[in-house]
């Protein structure tokens, strides 16, 4: 069962994103609050938080906002695909979308590998500095 709709401050705390960043993502059409308070303030659902987490996870991997939008659109369309209903995708459309999502998964895996390599180099550097300091009289 989904939780109660949240105000932007709670969403910011849950996602570890700033209010400004969340609003920027709204302005760019990456996330749209699913509800509004009686006073007209935007309210976010667990699904909105999940969407923001996807965006947050893509950013350190170097994906652009346009790439993020493309992936989210593909995932949304696949999620809305219900065989036997008027939202059913044509097989070629479904195939194109699945290929697109797989391409992002592969790109993410490659970027994670690159980041692990960079981290290993950074750790080696830090270790070499510690070793030098340990062997140097104070």
């Amino acid at each position: 069962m989904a939780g109660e709709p949240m105000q932007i401050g709670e969403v910011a705390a849950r996602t570890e994103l700033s209010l400004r960043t969340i609003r920027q993502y709204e302005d760019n059409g990456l996330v749209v609050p699913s509800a509004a308070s009686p006073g007209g303030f935007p309210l976010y659902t667990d699904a909105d938080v999940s969407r923001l987490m996807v965006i947050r996870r893509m950013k350190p991997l170097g994906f652009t906002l346009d790439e993020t939008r493309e992936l989210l659109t593909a995932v949304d369309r696949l999620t809305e695909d219900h065989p036997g209903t008027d939202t059913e995708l044509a097989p070629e459309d479904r195939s194109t979308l699945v290929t697109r999502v797989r391409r992002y998964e592969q790109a993410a895996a490659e970027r994670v590998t690159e980041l692990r390599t960079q981290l290993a180099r950074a750790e080696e550097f830090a270790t070499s500095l510690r070793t030098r300091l340990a062997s140097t009289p104070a």
Side-chain angles (χ1 to χ4, degrees), residues 116-130:
R116 284 190 176 123
T117 300
Q118 290 176 2
L119 178 60
R121 289 178 184 151
E123 288 173 335
E124 289 170 4
F125 175 67
T127 299
S128 72
L129 290 177
R130 275 192 298 277

Side-chain angles (χ1 to χ4, degrees), residues 1 4 40 49-50 63 71 73 81 88 101 106 118 122 126 131 135:
M1 182 173 175
E4 290 293 315
V49 170
S50 294
F63 290 104
L71 174 64
T73 299
D81 178 29
E88 180 177 13
V101 173
Q106 291 167 349
Q118 290 176 2
T131 301
S135 64

Side-chain angles (χ1 to χ4, degrees), residues 47-118:
D48 299 327
V49 170
S50 294
R51 189 174 185 90
L52 284 164
M53 293 303 294
V54 169
I55 298 165
R56 191 187 94 182
R57 290 176 181 129
M58 289 182 76
K59 187 172 172 79
L61 295 176
F63 290 104
T64 67
L65 291 178
D66 287 338
E67 289 171 322
T68 302
R69 184 178 299 104
E70 180 183 52
L71 174 64
L72 290 170
T73 299
V75 169
D76 289 346
R77 289 188 62 206
L78 286 169
T79 301
E80 294 165 0
D81 178 29
H82 298 290
T85 70
D86 59 348
T87 63
E88 180 177 13
L89 292 169
E92 58 275 4
D93 292 338
R94 184 179 307 107
S95 177
T96 298
L97 293 169
V98 168
T99 298
R100 186 172 298 150
V101 173
R102 281 193 180 124
R103 188 184 55 182
Y104 278 103
E105 186 277 328
Q106 291 167 349
E110 290 168 8
R111 291 175 187 189
V112 166
T113 298
E114 292 168 9
L115 287 170
R116 284 190 176 123
T117 300
Q118 290 176 2

Side-chain angles (χ1 to χ4, degrees), residues 21-35:
T21 298
I22 293 170
R23 289 189 179 112
Q24 176 190 5
Y25 293 155
E26 287 177 24
D27 292 344
N28 282 287
L30 296 173
V31 66
V32 177
S34 296

Side-chain angles (χ1 to χ4, degrees), residues 4-13 19 22 37 41-44:
E4 290 293 315
M6 298 161 266
Q7 294 182 355
I8 194 169
E10 184 178 347
V11 172
L19 300 177
I22 293 170
S37 70
F41 293 103
L43 296 175
Y44 302 81

